[in-house]
Amino acid sequence: QVQLVESGGGLVQAGGSLRLSCAVFPSGRIFSINNMGWYRQAPGKQRELVANIFSGDGTNYADSVKGRFTISRDNAKNMLYLQMNSLKPEDTAVYYCNGPLWGMDYWGQGTQVTVSS
């Protein structure tokens, strides 16, 4: 099994920043996950991909967050990060960490990000 635990969400004013973290368990499991990503789900909307990162550090971002968000991973620390800058009210959502492995998607419990105007 793979367990993902998100943290770092909270309330922030528009233009502010937050850094989300995702811890991967058990220790060392992140080395087996090539493509990890951050997703979000806003009230009344479907879950959408925010960004993903490959083991070789290649990245992909949704158009809505390009230039503002940065995804990174630290395999030695079993961590996935999402640095969010210049936050907008439309970024308000529950953010989830995702790690596919052997045909199965693993998800964290989510962390709430609320951006006030």
Side-chain angles (χ1 to χ4, degrees):
Q1 296 287 346
V2 176
Q3 184 180 4
L4 307 175
V5 181
E6 302 97 336
S7 62
L11 175 64
V12 65
Q13 292 186 333
S17 299
L18 283 174
R19 190 192 194 199
L20 305 184
S21 298
C22 172
V24 182
F25 299 94
S27 180
R29 180 64 68 192
I30 194 171
F31 290 97
S32 300
I33 306 176
N34 179 57
N35 180 14
M36 298 200 68
W38 286 98
Y39 291 73
R40 67 186 181 187
Q41 187 166 16
K45 303 184 72 174
Q46 292 186 326
R47 184 172 57 194
E48 65 177 355
L49 174 68
V50 176
N52 62 284
I53 184 169
F54 301 91
S55 59
D57 290 336
T59 57
N60 176 67
Y61 296 91
D63 288 341
S64 59
V65 306
K66 286 182 179 178
R68 300 189 298 119
F69 291 10
T70 302
I71 188 171
S72 62
R73 60 192 288 169
D74 188 335
N75 290 342
K77 296 182 178 179
N78 292 282
M79 297 293 292
L80 176 72
Y81 303 102
L82 184 67
Q83 178 66 48
M84 305 185 295
N85 299 324
S86 301
L87 284 163
K88 304 175 181 179
E90 50 263 45
D91 294 319
T92 295
V94 177
Y95 284 70
Y96 298 91
C97 178
N98 169 259
L101 184 64
W102 301 115
M104 183 173 179
D105 280 341
Y106 293 90
W107 298 91
Q109 81 289 345
T111 185
Q112 176 71 50
V113 172
T114 303
V115 184
S116 62
S117 60

